[in-house]
Amino acid sequence: MTQKIIILDFGSQTTQLIGRRVRELDTFCEIMPYNKFPKDDPSVIGVILSGSPYSVHDPEAFKVDLSQFVGKIPVLGICYGAQFISHTLGGKVEKADSREYGRANLQTVDTTNPLFKGFEQHSQVWMSHGDTITAIPDDFKVIGSTADVTNAAFASVNQPVWAVQFHPEVFHTLQGTQLLKNFVVDICGSKQEWSAASFVDSTVAELKEQLGSDRVILGLSGGVDSSVAAVLLNKAIGNNLTCIFVDHGMLRKNEFTQVMEDYKVLGLNVIGVDASEKFFSDLAGVTDPEQKRKIIGRDFVEVFNAEAKKITDAKWLAQGTIYPDRIESLNITGKVIKSHHNVGGLPKEMHLQLCEPLKWLFKDEVRRVGRQLGMPEHLITRHPFPGPGLAVRILGDITPEKVRILQDADDIYVRGLRDYKVKLSGEEARKVLAAGVPADMKDGMIEVSLYDQIWQAGAILLSTVRSVGVMGDERTYEHPVALRAVTSTDAMTADWAHLPYDFMAKVSNEIINKVRGVNRVCYDISSKPPATIEWE
């Protein structure tokens, strides 16, 4: 029986980050709505209560019955979770004089307490709360304080309950991983048996049992999720897997040919379908972003289904759905707030069962599994790419010529990111290594490409705009291109990447000189929120 930590989600933006940190400790975890704690599950070895946008005093604040697990298994409350524990068990939570947000240092740490084993005094932590705990319950004791927060961390004297008002899951809390390891491994007793190797072994065995000799169809996109799912299924059922890769004409430059070659090297049985003419025809004159998405989605289903129906003995449809796809599709009240392309069921006419071999994995875990399966690094580290492709990176209507312009500009940009090397140390190096990027540490530094340092990058064609320029003493009137690059951990929030000026100058110059139809390059410095990663 697989051990697991349950993370109860009270709506924090960093709940998924808690899950990823626990998984990095080779321990399986599930993120569940605050009111869905699984009763009578012997595999649960500990509970973590997340932060929340609410105050414990708000009428609509989320509440949970602590008696379900307090005193039975170890509990760790984080931020709102800590305040809820204190408020519920007899402590006092009050509005702080000023919002406690940002870096702080633990002035006093009880390193004899198992939660702080191996901690240094004055260790940096990250605060983010408007309320503060002014009194802890009677049977608790303070085990950590900052200059401004007396009850920064506290623990029950009689029961396995711990609480911290800071966020150990974020990188700004420098010993946050140590704290979570102390809780998950030492306190909860995790055997740390969850790893890429163990996942591959157990999943392949499960797929063999689940699918038997049945034929399976998988839609490939060229992205890391569907590619890893394909290789995993191929390892389990071999030629009983048939993959379909649809080219809608809005992939990156030469991507269809390159990806088909990659899949051939991997030994996958792939049917490549060039349907670009149909997509361009149906998109002609359409400028509304949502309508463009719907047309592409509809056409993709039609083309994919037409190919799938030719495989008359297929019984399963496989998808590269990953864990964040499923978490994002529901808010914590259980109401659908976002429909995801991998979540929502199958077309009824297909009469196929659904197989999702990656449904428990985070993106960084998918990449680790890909490496375990021996996949080429350029496939594993490929940035997320929107399903509609470059159609949502072209403002205005879609034409083959506009796609050609954007493909050329994007190719120069992405190749430049891959070629430009940077040296990182300290927190920046830790972030990259934690994401699973292979890099050798030398003298406390690593060298990686800009591409591997950021979450997602791409060029956007402002085809509804023309700007004046001068080339060869002649006046030009052509399109601007905007470059986008963001750093993120899960795409729920993202910050613009601070790319080196010399890199930006070189790429801008190369795009303007080599891409016919472009005479100006801009850089998008918007964060998410309020902007989104894609422009449409």
Side-chain angles (χ1 to χ4, degrees):
M1 181 181 300
T2 302
Q3 295 178 316
K4 62 182 161 186
I5 299 290
I6 294 297
I7 300 167
L8 293 182
D9 183 14
F10 290 85
S12 170
Q13 288 188 334
T14 60
T15 299
Q16 284 196 37
L17 195 52
I18 301 172
R20 292 178 66 231
R21 295 290 170 264
V22 172
R23 295 282 185 88
E24 288 168 6
L25 295 169
D26 299 329
T27 303
F28 183 66
C29 66
E30 281 190 59
I31 297 172
M32 310 192 75
Y34 69 97
N35 56 355
K36 300 292 184 182
F37 179 76
K39 298 179 180 178
D40 303 320
D41 185 345
S43 66
V44 178
I45 59 173
V47 180
I48 298 177
L49 310 185
S50 83
S52 175
Y54 290 120
S55 161
V56 294
H57 299 296
D58 289 342
E60 65 271 35
F62 300 126
K63 297 177 174 62
V64 65
D65 180 4
L66 295 178
S67 67
Q68 297 177 91
F69 39 80
V70 167
K72 301 174 182 177
I73 51 178
V75 179
L76 173 64
I78 294 175
C79 196
Y80 175 90
Q83 294 169 359
F84 183 80
I85 288 172
S86 180
H87 176 72
T88 305
L89 299 182
K92 184 180 290 186
V93 178
E94 297 180 292
K95 184 69 68 177
D97 293 335
S98 61
R99 181 173 169 80
E100 292 164 347
Y101 180 83
R103 292 175 175 84
N105 290 312
L106 289 174
Q107 305 288 349
T108 307
V109 180
D110 181 1
T111 55
T112 64
N113 189 279
L115 190 69
F116 284 126
K117 185 184 75 172
F119 252 65
E120 300 172 0
Q121 298 293 338
H122 308 291
S123 184
Q124 178 181 290
V125 297
W126 184 264
M127 296 285 187
S128 180
H129 52 89
D131 290 348
T132 192
I133 298 169
T134 55
I136 59 176
D138 289 341
D139 65 334
F140 282 72
K141 65 176 181 178
V142 176
I143 58 173
S145 303
T146 71
D148 298 317
V149 183
T150 301
N151 303 312
F154 52 99
S156 172
V157 175
N158 302 311
Q159 301 182 101
V161 181
W162 290 261
V164 294
Q165 287 204 76
F166 55 87
H167 287 269
E169 70 274 19
V170 304
F171 281 106
H172 302 298
T173 298
L174 298 185
Q175 290 189 276
T177 298
Q178 179 68 42
L179 186 150
L180 290 172
K181 181 177 184 291
N182 290 341
F183 179 74
V184 170
V185 179
D186 296 344
I187 294 172
C188 296
S190 168
K191 297 177 182 177
Q192 296 185 280
E193 296 174 334
W194 176 263
S195 65
S198 67
F199 175 83
V200 169
D201 291 343
S202 61
T203 302
V204 167
E206 290 169 6
L207 288 171
K208 286 180 177 179
E209 183 177 350
Q210 178 187 23
L211 304 174
S213 59
D214 293 348
R215 187 168 293 280
V216 180
I217 300 171
L218 170 67
L220 287 171
S221 67
V224 61
D225 299 338
S226 65
S227 298
V228 171
V231 175
L232 197 59
L233 280 159
N234 187 58
K235 187 176 178 67
I237 62 174
N239 286 333
N240 280 340
L241 171 68
T242 300
C243 303
I244 300 173
F245 183 25
V246 177
D247 180 9
H248 49 37
M250 287 152 286
L251 299 173
R252 284 176 162 154
K253 187 175 182 177
N254 300 325
E255 186 172 26
F256 184 70
T257 302
Q258 291 170 355
V259 171
M260 286 295 290
E261 284 297 316
D262 284 333
Y263 289 150
K264 183 178 179 181
V265 171
L266 290 170
L268 298 178
N269 177 24
V270 184
I271 298 172
V273 183
D274 182 357
S276 54
E277 187 175 334
K278 172 180 174 58
F279 282 86
F280 281 125
S281 175
D282 290 350
L283 286 168
V286 178
T287 60
D288 180 74
E290 187 63 20
Q291 192 177 357
K292 284 195 285 188
R293 285 180 174 272
K294 287 181 178 178
I295 290 170
I296 293 169
R298 179 200 69 200
D299 283 5
F300 180 86
V301 170
E302 289 178 4
V303 173
F304 181 85
N305 287 356
E307 289 297 322
K309 286 177 181 178
K310 297 176 184 178
I311 308 169
T312 56
D313 58 342
K315 294 184 180 180
W316 297 84
L317 176 68
Q319 292 186 158
T321 313
I322 64 174
Y323 198 32
D325 296 340
R326 299 161 64 222
I327 298 172
E328 290 175 15
S329 298
L330 295 175
N331 72 3
I332 53 182
T333 61
K335 297 177 181 177
V336 175
I337 58 173
K338 175 185 176 184
S339 60
H340 192 278
H341 64 277
N342 275 347
V343 180
L346 305 173
K348 292 181 180 179
E349 65 271 17
M350 292 189 73
H351 304 294
L352 298 175
Q353 300 177 74
L354 185 61
C355 176
E356 299 173 304
L358 307 181
K359 65 183 179 181
W360 290 113
L361 299 186
F362 288 99
K363 177 73 77 173
D364 49 340
E365 291 178 306
V366 175
R367 291 191 167 109
R368 290 190 182 97
V369 168
R371 292 186 179 101
Q372 182 67 31
L373 291 166
M375 294 174 60
E377 193 65 23
H378 69 270
L379 266 182
I380 295 169
T381 59
R382 186 176 185 267
H383 287 175
F385 189 62
L390 299 179
V392 294
R393 294 181 181 175
I394 296 175
L395 305 192
D397 64 328
I398 308 299
T399 67
E401 174 61 11
K402 290 179 180 178
V403 171
R404 191 275 309 164
I405 292 173
L406 186 55
Q407 283 178 333
D408 287 347
D410 182 82
D411 183 59
I412 291 171
Y413 181 36
V414 172
R415 280 193 295 105
L417 288 169
R418 289 188 181 277
D419 292 341
Y420 193 99
K421 304 299 181 183
V422 291
K423 291 185 177 181
L424 306 174
S425 62
E427 187 174 316
E428 289 182 322
R430 289 197 303 123
K431 288 181 181 179
V432 172
L433 293 172
V437 176
D440 293 326
M441 182 76 73
K442 185 177 181 180
D443 298 327
M445 303 188 76
I446 62 172
E447 184 176 82
V448 297
S449 70
L450 274 179
Y451 186 89
D452 287 335
Q453 193 184 2
I454 60 182
W455 172 267
Q456 188 170 341
I460 298 93
L461 179 65
L462 281 62
S463 72
T464 57
V465 176
R466 287 184 181 271
S467 66
V468 175
V470 178
M471 290 185 180
D473 295 327
E474 292 185 3
R475 186 173 185 268
T476 63
Y477 196 52
E478 296 177 330
H479 299 298
V481 161
L483 304 182
R484 182 78 158 133
V486 298
T487 57
S488 182
T489 54
D490 52 21
M492 298 292 285
T493 61
D495 194 13
W496 60 278
H498 296 217
L499 301 180
Y501 287 165
D502 62 330
F503 166 79
M504 296 174 73
K506 182 176 184 297
V507 165
S508 172
N509 187 60
E510 190 172 351
I511 289 174
I512 292 172
N513 286 336
K514 293 183 177 180
V515 180
R516 190 178 68 255
V518 175
N519 67 354
R520 190 177 299 270
V521 173
C522 311
Y523 188 58
D524 183 349
I525 59 169
S526 309
S527 296
K528 175 188 179 183
T532 55
I533 294 177
E534 301 295 343
W535 277 43
E536 289 193 346

